Amino acid sequence: MGVSKGDEMLINEIKAGNKMAFEALVLKYTPKLMSVLTGYTKSKDHAEELCQTTFFKVWQKINTFKGESSLFTWIYRIGINLAKNDFASRFSKNSMITERLDQDRHDFPEYRSPETELIAAESESKIMQFIQSLDEDTKIAFTLREIEGRAYDEIAKILNCPIGTVRSRIFRARQLILEFMNQENIFNG
Amino acid sequence: MDKNLEKMSALYDGELSQNEMQEIITEMDSDRSLRNAFYKFGVISELMQRHSDQQNSKISYLQNYYRKFNPLITNLATAAATVLLTLIVLHQFDDDRFTVNKETSFQLSSAISSDQAKVQLLNADQNIMDHMIQIMQSNQSNKSQQLSKNWIPVGFSVSPNNPNQYSNGKNNLFFHLENKQLGIKNVKYFKANNNWIYLIPLKDGRLLTAYGDIPPSIADQMIQSIYQRN
């Protein structure tokens, strides 16, 4: 699977120097990357550090991204390679990687790093239950997007409705989930 | 605010035009709440995908298990089994409208948690699984079955291409009739995305299976009608 149309536009903006587009990319992919890195390192603090370094590398190397894989696959590879190198360096007492990165940080945009708070397992379960309770039309559109990764036009064909309806149903699902998270005081960072 | 949030949602999915994307990214720069919402979209997405991956790993475990006990099944049957397992594992039984037997659902949950229960599940549900696979394959078949007109929901008519398929122009419904009930005592139904499968044990000892994009609101009337006239 190659890069999606939306990510391609985001990448083009970043390549053109749009720092807010880079921040959007960071916001979009931090949760997934943190999940992977936390699983790998078993440490939230360590994962956060690696996450920031990964996005620094992404900023540095964005011009080399050819779109042969999805954007997240590319980011994931960078993150995992950094984690592996970091793991190895802890044993060889070699801190060269971190030092070398720090020297190049002068052109790195000062993006506002999100609060990488982790959701407690109990709250995860509540959110998943809430998603199950969404009305059928909303839940189906949202699931087709989030789980199956379908584009809006594909979902519109499957559900036999206009693309605008798909867009508003998916938004509605997200809006309701956000409201639920606020009500339940889940992740208000 | 809601309009901007809706645009953020579309931006998250990569479904904005270049101009819209530039506009909303500019808005994001000055609006912390939009940035927070965008980040939370990522949190929700990660959560959903991780739970889906966990479910899929259960499916592939059950699929491998099923294949091990049925080494002669065809690729088509394997695919159908995957669909079936996906239906069962990802979408639990709905039990708010019919007297649904929760046993199968319970057994599946148990199956995932213990080896002994896995054996029990697959033994207990083997007939149902085989039946479902057969149905999925038979939907491709044009062999006519003796379906009572009373079973067909109002407004549905038979498809010219398949005597077992009925449509009201919007929804499609396939029927399959079996001479055994596979131990099913009450109506059971499964759902996956916008499709439902209803297993309806008839009083004469046969099992009617209805499959299609017919929600319970329509199927409820159909099933009541079947029981009144059967």
Side-chain angles (χ1 to χ4, degrees), chain B residues 23-227:
Chain B
E23 275 173 29
I24 196 67
I25 280 182
T26 307
E27 289 277 342
M28 259 173 100
D29 195 19
S30 57
D31 189 337
R32 185 168 181 265
S33 66
L34 287 180
R35 290 198 300 276
N36 276 343
F38 196 68
Y39 178 70
K40 284 179 184 171
F41 291 163
V43 171
I44 295 164
S45 179
E46 189 277 326
L47 181 63
M48 283 204 63
Q49 283 166 20
R50 186 154 39 83
H51 278 252
S52 166
D53 288 346
Q54 285 165 3
Q55 300 283 40
N56 284 334
S57 67
K58 289 173 192 169
I59 290 164
S60 72
Y61 182 89
L62 284 168
Q63 189 189 359
N64 290 336
Y65 198 92
Y66 182 75
R67 195 182 284 129
K68 186 178 159 189
F69 277 80
N70 296 270
L72 300 178
I73 57 176
T74 62
N75 285 340
L76 185 57
T78 309
T82 306
V83 172
L84 172 61
L85 291 168
T86 307
L87 295 182
I88 295 172
V89 178
L90 286 182
H91 303 275
Q92 299 298 314
F93 290 81
D94 275 345
D95 58 358
D96 55 340
R97 299 177 69 85
F98 303 125
T99 315
V100 173
N101 186 347
K102 285 187 174 178
E103 202 177 322
T104 314
S105 175
F106 172 75
Q107 284 168 337
L108 267 159
S109 307
S110 305
I112 291 157
S113 61
S114 88
D115 283 338
Q116 188 186 8
K118 276 166 201 153
V119 175
Q120 285 174 353
L121 157 81
L122 288 160
N123 287 338
D125 278 349
Q126 189 69 56
N127 287 339
I128 295 176
M129 284 190 178
D130 287 343
H131 171 69
M132 302 286 276
I133 290 164
Q134 189 189 339
I135 289 164
M136 286 178 199
Q137 290 170 344
S138 74
N139 279 342
Q140 308 304 320
S141 158
N142 284 350
K143 191 179 170 187
S144 179
Q145 300 177 87
Q146 291 186 326
L147 302 173
S148 165
K149 285 180 184 172
N150 293 334
W151 298 341
I152 314 304
V154 176
F156 280 71
S157 56
V158 67
S159 158
N161 303 320
N162 185 341
N164 304 318
Q165 182 185 350
Y166 290 78
S167 174
N168 63 357
K170 187 183 172 193
N171 307 103
N172 287 292
L173 192 57
F174 296 87
F175 285 99
H176 179 90
L177 194 55
E178 191 80 25
N179 283 329
K180 51 193 175 185
Q181 289 190 333
L182 308 170
I184 298 172
K185 303 290 181 200
N186 302 309
V187 173
K188 290 184 174 188
Y189 71 108
F190 312 84
K191 68 178 174 181
N193 295 333
N194 55 344
N195 284 312
W196 282 263
I197 299 173
Y198 301 91
L199 301 178
I200 308 160
L202 301 174
K203 287 176 186 167
D204 62 8
R206 293 182 296 171
L207 180 68
L208 178 67
T209 303
Y211 169 76
D213 55 351
I214 303 296
S217 54
I218 295 177
D220 191 15
Q221 288 179 333
M222 174 183 80
I223 292 165
Q224 300 301 337
S225 170
I226 288 171
Y227 279 127

Side-chain angles (χ1 to χ4, degrees), chain A residues 4-7 9-10 12-13 18 20-21 23-28 30-32 34-35 112 114-117 119 124-125 127-128 131-132 136 139-140 142-148 150-153 158-160 164 167-168 170-171 174-175 177-178 181-182 186-189, chain B residues 1-22 24-32 34-54 56 90-92 94 169-170 191-196 215:
Chain A
S4 69
K5 188 182 72 179
D7 279 344
M9 285 198 299
L10 214 49
N12 289 339
E13 285 294 311
N18 185 336
M20 196 54 224
E23 187 166 334
L25 179 145
V26 172
L27 291 169
K28 182 175 179 178
T30 290
K32 279 187 191 173
M34 273 298 290
S35 174
R112 289 150 286 200
E115 289 290 325
T116 51
E117 192 179 328
I119 300 178
E124 282 193 4
S125 170
I127 297 170
M128 293 309 294
I131 292 169
Q132 284 302 317
E136 208 61 35
K139 185 166 62 181
I140 290 171
F142 188 55
T143 305
L144 285 170
R145 173 62 221 162
E146 289 288 13
I147 306 293
E148 297 194 16
R150 304 268 189 169
Y152 286 7
D153 59 345
I158 292 168
L159 301 181
N160 195 23
R167 173 169 152 160
S168 55
I170 292 171
F171 165 61
R174 289 191 172 124
Q175 190 182 35
I177 297 166
L178 288 185
M181 288 167 77
N182 284 339
I186 299 170
F187 201 103
N188 281 328
Chain B
M1 177 62 184
D2 272 6
K3 272 287 157 204
N4 275 342
L5 261 184
E6 186 173 340
K7 279 186 185 172
M8 296 291 297
S9 170
L11 171 69
Y12 187 83
D13 294 330
E15 297 276 355
L16 286 183
S17 68
Q18 184 85 22
N19 286 344
E20 279 180 310
M21 183 186 79
Q22 283 168 340
I24 196 67
I25 280 182
T26 307
E27 289 277 342
M28 259 173 100
D29 195 19
S30 57
D31 189 337
R32 185 168 181 265
L34 287 180
R35 290 198 300 276
N36 276 343
F38 196 68
Y39 178 70
K40 284 179 184 171
F41 291 163
V43 171
I44 295 164
S45 179
E46 189 277 326
L47 181 63
M48 283 204 63
Q49 283 166 20
R50 186 154 39 83
H51 278 252
S52 166
D53 288 346
Q54 285 165 3
N56 284 334
L90 286 182
H91 303 275
Q92 299 298 314
D94 275 345
K170 187 183 172 193
K191 68 178 174 181
N193 295 333
N194 55 344
N195 284 312
W196 282 263

Side-chain angles (χ1 to χ4, degrees), chain A residues 9-30 51-62 71 74-75 107-114, chain B residues 21 25 28 35 38:
Chain A
M9 285 198 299
L10 214 49
I11 291 163
N12 289 339
E13 285 294 311
I14 296 168
K15 284 180 178 173
N18 185 336
K19 292 185 177 180
M20 196 54 224
F22 178 71
E23 187 166 334
L25 179 145
V26 172
L27 291 169
K28 182 175 179 178
Y29 288 116
T30 290
C51 193
Q52 285 189 12
T53 311
T54 303
F55 284 117
F56 169 61
K57 279 276 187 190
V58 167
W59 173 258
Q60 271 191 324
K61 290 172 173 269
I62 195 76
L71 179 59
W74 184 68
I75 295 172
D107 66 336
F108 190 47
E110 287 293 321
Y111 70 86
R112 289 150 286 200
S113 178
Chain B
M21 183 186 79
I25 280 182
M28 259 173 100
R35 290 198 300 276
F38 196 68

